[in-house]
Amino acid sequence: MPPLTRWYIKSALVYLTAALLLAVILALPINLPLFIRYMNPAYFHLFLVGWVTQMIFGVIYWMFPIITRAQPRGNEQLGWASYALLNVGLLLRAIGEPLVSTRPEAGLGWLLAVSALLQWLAAVLFVVLAWPRVKEKYRGE
Amino acid sequence: MPRLSQWIIRAAFIYLLLGFTFGALLLTHKGMPLHPALWGWLPAHIEFLLMGWIVQLTMGVAFWILPRYWKHPRGTDEIYAQIAFVFLNLGIWLVVAGTTFRAGIWVLLAGRVVEVGAVVFFALHAWKRIVSREGA
Ligand code: HEM
Protein backbone atom coordinates (compact mmCIF):
# COMPACT_ATOMS: atom_id res chain seq x y z
CA MET A 1 0.00 0.00 0.00
CA PRO A 2 1.63 3.32 -1.05
CA PRO A 3 2.28 5.94 1.67
CA LEU A 4 -0.28 8.34 0.18
CA THR A 5 -2.97 5.67 0.45
CA ARG A 6 -2.06 5.07 4.09
CA TRP A 7 -2.46 8.78 4.82
CA TYR A 8 -5.78 8.90 2.99
CA ILE A 9 -7.22 5.87 4.77
CA LYS A 10 -5.97 6.74 8.25
CA SER A 11 -7.20 10.31 7.84
CA ALA A 12 -10.54 8.95 6.64
CA LEU A 13 -10.88 6.88 9.82
CA VAL A 14 -10.04 9.90 11.95
CA TYR A 15 -12.73 11.92 10.14
CA LEU A 16 -15.29 9.18 10.60
CA THR A 17 -14.58 9.16 14.33
CA ALA A 18 -14.71 12.95 14.47
CA ALA A 19 -17.97 13.09 12.50
CA LEU A 20 -19.68 10.55 14.73
CA LEU A 21 -18.38 12.24 17.90
CA LEU A 22 -19.79 15.51 16.59
CA ALA A 23 -23.09 13.70 15.93
CA VAL A 24 -23.10 12.56 19.57
CA ILE A 25 -22.51 16.12 20.75
CA LEU A 26 -25.23 17.47 18.43
CA ALA A 27 -27.65 14.93 19.90
CA LEU A 28 -26.99 15.86 23.54
CA PRO A 29 -30.23 16.88 25.25
CA ILE A 30 -28.78 20.15 26.49
CA ASN A 31 -28.74 23.73 25.31
CA LEU A 32 -25.73 23.58 22.98
CA PRO A 33 -23.63 26.66 22.27
CA LEU A 34 -24.63 28.31 18.99
CA PHE A 35 -21.20 27.59 17.53
CA ILE A 36 -21.74 23.84 17.94
CA ARG A 37 -25.27 23.94 16.61
CA TYR A 38 -24.01 25.60 13.44
CA MET A 39 -21.68 22.64 12.91
CA ASN A 40 -24.47 20.53 11.44
CA PRO A 41 -23.24 20.94 7.83
CA ALA A 42 -19.72 20.28 9.13
CA TYR A 43 -20.97 16.97 10.52
CA PHE A 44 -22.35 15.99 7.10
CA HIS A 45 -19.19 16.96 5.29
CA LEU A 46 -16.71 15.49 7.75
CA PHE A 47 -18.56 12.27 7.02
CA LEU A 48 -19.08 12.60 3.24
CA VAL A 49 -15.87 14.36 2.23
CA GLY A 50 -13.53 13.45 5.10
CA TRP A 51 -14.55 9.82 5.39
CA VAL A 52 -16.34 8.56 2.26
CA THR A 53 -14.58 10.57 -0.43
CA GLN A 54 -11.16 10.38 1.17
CA MET A 55 -11.45 6.62 1.63
CA ILE A 56 -12.39 6.29 -2.04
CA PHE A 57 -9.44 8.47 -3.10
CA GLY A 58 -7.04 6.35 -1.08
CA VAL A 59 -8.29 3.07 -2.51
CA ILE A 60 -8.39 4.38 -6.11
CA TYR A 61 -4.79 5.58 -5.83
CA TRP A 62 -3.81 2.17 -4.55
CA MET A 63 -5.86 -0.26 -6.65
CA PHE A 64 -6.66 1.22 -10.05
CA PRO A 65 -4.67 -0.22 -12.99
CA ILE A 66 -1.13 1.16 -13.13
CA ILE A 67 -0.05 3.32 -16.06
CA THR A 68 3.50 2.01 -16.63
CA ARG A 69 6.06 0.17 -14.51
CA ALA A 70 8.26 3.27 -14.47
CA GLN A 71 5.55 5.58 -13.09
CA PRO A 72 2.83 3.21 -11.94
CA ARG A 73 0.55 5.70 -10.21
CA GLY A 74 1.26 8.86 -12.20
CA ASN A 75 2.63 12.01 -10.63
CA GLU A 76 2.69 11.30 -6.90
CA GLN A 77 3.28 14.97 -6.04
CA LEU A 78 -0.13 15.73 -7.52
CA GLY A 79 -1.63 13.20 -5.12
CA TRP A 80 0.05 14.75 -2.09
CA ALA A 81 -1.06 18.21 -3.17
CA SER A 82 -4.63 16.97 -3.53
CA TYR A 83 -4.47 15.31 -0.11
CA ALA A 84 -3.21 18.49 1.57
CA LEU A 85 -5.71 20.76 -0.20
CA LEU A 86 -8.65 18.52 0.69
CA ASN A 87 -7.74 18.26 4.35
CA VAL A 88 -6.80 21.88 4.93
CA GLY A 89 -9.91 22.96 3.02
CA LEU A 90 -12.22 20.69 4.96
CA LEU A 91 -10.83 21.61 8.38
CA LEU A 92 -11.06 25.28 7.46
CA ARG A 93 -14.73 24.72 6.65
CA ALA A 94 -15.43 22.86 9.89
CA ILE A 95 -14.16 25.87 11.86
CA GLY A 96 -15.05 28.65 9.41
CA GLU A 97 -18.70 27.77 8.81
CA PRO A 98 -19.87 28.02 12.45
CA LEU A 99 -17.59 31.01 12.95
CA VAL A 100 -19.19 32.89 10.08
CA SER A 101 -22.69 31.83 11.14
CA THR A 102 -22.28 32.91 14.76
CA ARG A 103 -20.39 36.15 14.00
CA PRO A 104 -21.59 37.34 10.59
CA GLU A 105 -20.38 40.87 11.38
CA ALA A 106 -16.75 39.80 11.86
CA GLY A 107 -15.97 39.82 8.13
CA LEU A 108 -14.65 36.27 8.09
CA GLY A 109 -16.66 35.15 5.05
CA TRP A 110 -13.49 34.90 2.99
CA LEU A 111 -12.50 31.88 5.11
CA LEU A 112 -15.29 29.94 3.43
CA ALA A 113 -14.25 31.13 -0.02
CA VAL A 114 -10.70 29.92 0.65
CA SER A 115 -11.96 26.60 2.01
CA ALA A 116 -14.17 26.16 -1.06
CA LEU A 117 -11.31 26.89 -3.43
CA LEU A 118 -8.94 24.47 -1.67
CA GLN A 119 -11.45 21.61 -1.74
CA TRP A 120 -12.38 22.29 -5.35
CA LEU A 121 -8.71 22.26 -6.38
CA ALA A 122 -8.22 19.01 -4.47
CA ALA A 123 -10.97 17.35 -6.53
CA VAL A 124 -9.60 18.71 -9.81
CA LEU A 125 -6.06 17.51 -9.03
CA PHE A 126 -7.31 14.10 -7.96
CA VAL A 127 -9.33 13.63 -11.15
CA VAL A 128 -6.32 14.71 -13.23
CA LEU A 129 -4.22 12.14 -11.37
CA ALA A 130 -6.70 9.26 -11.52
CA TRP A 131 -8.22 9.77 -14.99
CA PRO A 132 -5.41 8.02 -16.95
CA ARG A 133 -5.76 5.02 -14.63
CA VAL A 134 -9.33 4.33 -15.71
CA LYS A 135 -8.20 1.80 -18.30
CA GLU A 136 -7.47 -1.80 -19.18
CA LYS A 137 -5.06 -3.77 -17.05
CA TYR A 138 -1.39 -2.89 -17.73
CA ARG A 139 0.16 -5.54 -19.97
CA GLY A 140 3.65 -4.19 -20.45
CA GLU A 141 4.84 -1.77 -23.09
CA MET B 1 -10.91 -2.90 -16.01
CA PRO B 2 -13.77 -3.65 -18.45
CA ARG B 3 -15.01 -0.99 -20.83
CA LEU B 4 -18.34 -0.53 -19.03
CA SER B 5 -16.55 0.11 -15.73
CA GLN B 6 -14.39 2.67 -17.47
CA TRP B 7 -17.47 4.56 -18.64
CA ILE B 8 -19.20 4.36 -15.26
CA ILE B 9 -16.11 5.51 -13.37
CA ARG B 10 -15.40 8.36 -15.78
CA ALA B 11 -18.99 9.52 -15.34
CA ALA B 12 -18.51 9.34 -11.55
CA PHE B 13 -15.42 11.58 -11.82
CA ILE B 14 -17.37 14.11 -13.84
CA TYR B 15 -20.10 14.21 -11.19
CA LEU B 16 -17.43 14.61 -8.52
CA LEU B 17 -16.21 17.71 -10.34
CA LEU B 18 -19.74 19.04 -10.94
CA GLY B 19 -20.77 18.39 -7.34
CA PHE B 20 -17.65 19.96 -5.85
CA THR B 21 -18.04 22.95 -8.17
CA PHE B 22 -21.56 23.66 -6.94
CA GLY B 23 -20.54 22.88 -3.37
CA ALA B 24 -17.67 25.35 -3.63
CA LEU B 25 -19.97 28.02 -5.07
CA LEU B 26 -22.50 27.43 -2.28
CA LEU B 27 -19.85 27.55 0.43
CA THR B 28 -18.36 30.73 -1.01
CA HIS B 29 -21.85 32.19 -1.23
CA LYS B 30 -22.41 31.36 2.43
CA GLY B 31 -19.40 33.50 3.34
CA MET B 32 -19.50 36.14 0.63
CA PRO B 33 -22.94 36.33 -1.05
CA LEU B 34 -22.66 35.82 -4.82
CA HIS B 35 -26.23 35.34 -6.04
CA PRO B 36 -29.43 34.42 -4.17
CA ALA B 37 -30.43 31.87 -6.84
CA LEU B 38 -27.42 29.72 -5.89
CA TRP B 39 -29.30 28.00 -3.07
CA GLY B 40 -31.52 26.47 -5.74
CA TRP B 41 -28.51 24.36 -6.72
CA LEU B 42 -28.26 22.66 -3.33
CA PRO B 43 -30.41 19.66 -4.43
CA ALA B 44 -28.22 19.29 -7.54
CA HIS B 45 -25.11 19.40 -5.34
CA ILE B 46 -26.48 16.61 -3.17
CA GLU B 47 -27.71 14.51 -6.11
CA PHE B 48 -24.49 14.82 -8.11
CA LEU B 49 -22.36 13.77 -5.14
CA LEU B 50 -24.44 11.09 -3.44
CA MET B 51 -25.80 9.38 -6.57
CA GLY B 52 -23.50 10.59 -9.32
CA TRP B 53 -20.24 10.24 -7.43
CA ILE B 54 -20.56 7.80 -4.51
CA VAL B 55 -23.20 5.35 -5.80
CA GLN B 56 -21.95 5.45 -9.38
CA LEU B 57 -18.30 4.91 -8.46
CA THR B 58 -19.27 1.98 -6.27
CA MET B 59 -21.17 0.39 -9.17
CA GLY B 60 -18.28 0.94 -11.56
CA VAL B 61 -15.78 -0.69 -9.21
CA ALA B 62 -18.16 -3.56 -8.39
CA PHE B 63 -18.70 -4.34 -12.07
CA TRP B 64 -14.93 -4.48 -12.46
CA ILE B 65 -13.98 -6.45 -9.39
CA LEU B 66 -16.72 -8.94 -8.45
CA PRO B 67 -15.79 -12.51 -9.49
CA ARG B 68 -16.68 -13.34 -13.10
CA TYR B 69 -15.65 -16.93 -12.76
CA TRP B 70 -15.61 -18.98 -9.58
CA LYS B 71 -16.14 -22.76 -9.87
CA HIS B 72 -18.23 -22.01 -12.95
CA PRO B 73 -18.88 -18.92 -15.12
CA ARG B 74 -20.96 -16.37 -13.24
CA GLY B 75 -22.61 -14.83 -16.30
CA THR B 76 -22.00 -11.11 -15.90
CA ASP B 77 -25.33 -10.17 -17.59
CA GLU B 78 -23.69 -7.00 -18.79
CA ILE B 79 -26.97 -5.74 -20.24
CA TYR B 80 -28.41 -5.31 -16.72
CA ALA B 81 -25.40 -3.27 -15.66
CA GLN B 82 -25.69 -1.19 -18.82
CA ILE B 83 -29.34 -0.48 -18.07
CA ALA B 84 -28.39 0.42 -14.50
CA PHE B 85 -25.82 2.92 -15.82
CA VAL B 86 -28.33 4.57 -18.17
CA PHE B 87 -31.11 4.62 -15.54
CA LEU B 88 -28.88 6.05 -12.83
CA ASN B 89 -27.81 8.96 -15.00
CA LEU B 90 -31.31 9.55 -16.33
CA GLY B 91 -32.61 9.48 -12.75
CA ILE B 92 -30.02 11.98 -11.56
CA TRP B 93 -30.96 14.49 -14.25
CA LEU B 94 -34.70 14.00 -13.73
CA VAL B 95 -34.24 14.68 -10.02
CA VAL B 96 -32.17 17.77 -10.78
CA ALA B 97 -34.80 18.90 -13.29
CA GLY B 98 -37.54 18.34 -10.73
CA THR B 99 -35.75 20.28 -7.99
CA THR B 100 -33.20 22.82 -9.20
CA PHE B 101 -34.96 23.49 -12.53
CA ARG B 102 -38.46 23.37 -10.98
CA ALA B 103 -39.88 21.02 -13.62
CA GLY B 104 -42.44 19.81 -11.08
CA ILE B 105 -43.01 17.05 -8.58
CA TRP B 106 -43.86 14.46 -11.23
CA VAL B 107 -40.47 14.85 -12.83
CA LEU B 108 -38.86 14.53 -9.42
CA LEU B 109 -40.93 11.44 -8.68
CA ALA B 110 -40.03 9.92 -12.06
CA GLY B 111 -36.38 10.57 -11.29
CA ARG B 112 -36.60 8.79 -7.96
CA VAL B 113 -38.40 5.81 -9.54
CA VAL B 114 -35.82 5.54 -12.31
CA GLU B 115 -33.07 5.60 -9.67
CA VAL B 116 -34.70 2.69 -7.87
CA GLY B 117 -34.81 0.91 -11.23
CA ALA B 118 -31.09 1.53 -11.66
CA VAL B 119 -30.29 -0.08 -8.35
CA VAL B 120 -32.59 -3.06 -8.98
CA PHE B 121 -30.96 -3.72 -12.36
CA PHE B 122 -27.53 -3.39 -10.83
CA ALA B 123 -28.43 -5.84 -8.07
CA LEU B 124 -29.81 -8.30 -10.67
CA HIS B 125 -26.51 -8.15 -12.51
CA ALA B 126 -24.40 -8.49 -9.36
CA TRP B 127 -26.36 -11.23 -7.58
CA LYS B 128 -24.67 -14.25 -9.18
CA ARG B 129 -21.25 -12.65 -8.83
CA ILE B 130 -21.48 -12.40 -5.04
CA VAL B 131 -20.13 -15.78 -3.96
CA SER B 132 -18.50 -17.61 -1.09
CA ARG B 133 -15.18 -19.42 -1.33
CA GLU B 134 -17.09 -22.68 -1.71
CA GLY B 135 -18.89 -21.23 -4.69
CA ALA B 136 -22.25 -20.97 -2.95
C1 HEM C 1 -18.89 13.77 -1.56
C2 HEM C 1 -18.98 15.01 -1.25
C3 HEM C 1 -20.22 15.74 -0.74
C4 HEM C 1 -21.47 15.27 -0.47
C5 HEM C 1 -21.99 13.84 -0.59
C6 HEM C 1 -22.24 16.41 -0.02
C7 HEM C 1 -23.56 16.33 0.39
C8 HEM C 1 -24.26 17.38 0.95
C9 HEM C 1 -25.53 17.25 1.61
C10 HEM C 1 -26.29 15.95 1.83
C11 HEM C 1 -25.90 18.50 2.00
C12 HEM C 1 -27.17 18.87 2.76
C13 HEM C 1 -26.82 18.96 4.22
C14 HEM C 1 -27.92 19.53 5.04
O1 HEM C 1 -29.07 19.48 4.59
O2 HEM C 1 -27.61 20.07 6.10
C15 HEM C 1 -24.88 19.42 1.58
C16 HEM C 1 -24.90 20.77 1.80
C17 HEM C 1 -23.88 21.63 1.46
N1 HEM C 1 -22.68 21.29 0.87
FE1 HEM C 1 -22.07 19.43 0.41
N2 HEM C 1 -21.47 17.54 -0.06
C18 HEM C 1 -20.22 17.17 -0.50
C19 HEM C 1 -19.13 18.00 -0.69
C20 HEM C 1 -19.16 19.36 -0.54
C21 HEM C 1 -18.05 20.24 -0.81
C22 HEM C 1 -16.68 19.78 -1.28
C23 HEM C 1 -18.47 21.51 -0.54
C24 HEM C 1 -17.73 22.80 -0.63
C25 HEM C 1 -16.57 22.97 -1.18
C26 HEM C 1 -19.85 21.44 -0.12
C27 HEM C 1 -20.64 22.51 0.23
C28 HEM C 1 -21.93 22.42 0.73
C29 HEM C 1 -22.68 23.55 1.23
C30 HEM C 1 -22.22 25.00 1.29
C31 HEM C 1 -23.90 23.05 1.71
C32 HEM C 1 -25.04 23.85 2.36
C33 HEM C 1 -24.81 23.90 3.85
C34 HEM C 1 -25.92 24.64 4.54
O3 HEM C 1 -27.01 24.07 4.68
O4 HEM C 1 -25.68 25.76 4.93
N3 HEM C 1 -20.24 20.11 -0.13
N4 HEM C 1 -23.88 18.70 0.94
Side-chain angles (χ1 to χ4, degrees):
Chain A
M1 197 186 279
L4 179 57
T5 291
R6 301 210 296 268
W7 279 83
Y8 268 128
I9 297 181
K10 286 183 178 169
S11 306
L13 287 167
V14 172
Y15 278 108
L16 178 61
T17 314
L20 296 188
L21 275 177
L22 185 53
V24 169
I25 295 171
L26 287 168
L28 288 176
I30 56 167
N31 222 340
L32 288 169
L34 216 51
F35 186 91
I36 302 286
R37 271 194 277 156
Y38 279 123
M39 288 185 92
N40 204 52
Y43 155 62
F44 271 96
H45 291 82
L46 289 174
F47 188 99
L48 292 164
V49 179
W51 157 244
V52 179
T53 298
Q54 188 142 235
M55 185 77 178
I56 293 174
F57 281 8
V59 174
I60 286 179
Y61 185 72
W62 175 26
M63 296 270 215
F64 270 29
I66 60 166
I67 305 172
T68 62
R69 286 261 171 259
Q71 225 190 11
R73 298 190 168 88
N75 182 350
E76 192 182 334
Q77 298 307 320
L78 221 57
W80 285 108
S82 173
Y83 170 84
L85 288 165
L86 191 74
N87 284 281
V88 175
L90 182 57
L91 290 175
L92 194 57
R93 175 186 187 164
I95 307 289
E97 207 171 21
L99 212 57
V100 170
S101 300
T102 45
R103 301 179 53 208
E105 74 294 343
L108 294 169
W110 59 273
L111 281 178
L112 299 189
V114 173
S115 158
L117 181 65
L118 298 184
Q119 293 180 77
W120 183 79
L121 281 174
V124 172
L125 292 191
F126 190 83
V127 171
V128 169
L129 179 67
W131 193 271
R133 296 182 59 192
V134 182
K135 63 191 249 317
E136 279 294 308
K137 187 175 178 172
Y138 175 72
R139 298 180 201 283
E141 245 66 49
Chain B
M1 180 187 294
R3 196 155 291 266
L4 181 60
S5 281
Q6 295 178 30
W7 284 105
I8 301 177
I9 293 170
R10 284 192 193 112
F13 279 150
I14 290 169
Y15 283 108
L16 171 71
L17 293 179
L18 281 175
F20 264 51
T21 300
F22 288 115
L25 287 172
L26 283 166
L27 190 60
T28 303
H29 178 65
K30 222 174 150 174
M32 314 169 74
L34 299 171
H35 196 285
L38 263 177
W39 281 115
W41 282 89
L42 182 60
H45 164 71
I46 296 171
E47 198 62 19
F48 287 160
L49 287 166
L50 287 179
M51 301 303 291
W53 162 238
I54 298 173
V55 173
Q56 184 142 249
L57 186 96
T58 310
M59 287 185 177
V61 171
F63 184 76
W64 167 35
I65 230 156
L66 289 174
R68 295 165 180 278
Y69 185 96
W70 188 245
K71 308 284 183 195
H72 58 84
R74 294 278 157 188
T76 41
D77 285 333
E78 181 156 349
I79 184 72
Y80 287 158
Q82 287 168 349
I83 295 172
F85 176 47
V86 173
F87 275 20
L88 185 69
N89 288 281
L90 184 64
I92 290 170
W93 286 98
L94 285 172
V95 168
V96 169
T99 51
T100 298
F101 294 114
R102 302 167 191 274
I105 54 162
W106 294 105
V107 176
L108 171 62
L109 183 67
R112 293 294 185 215
V113 170
V114 173
E115 285 179 352
V116 173
V119 174
V120 169
F121 273 104
F122 194 82
L124 280 176
H125 137 268
W127 215 258
K128 282 182 282 180
R129 298 179 64 189
I130 302 167
V131 293
S132 73
R133 194 165 277 283
E134 292 71 42

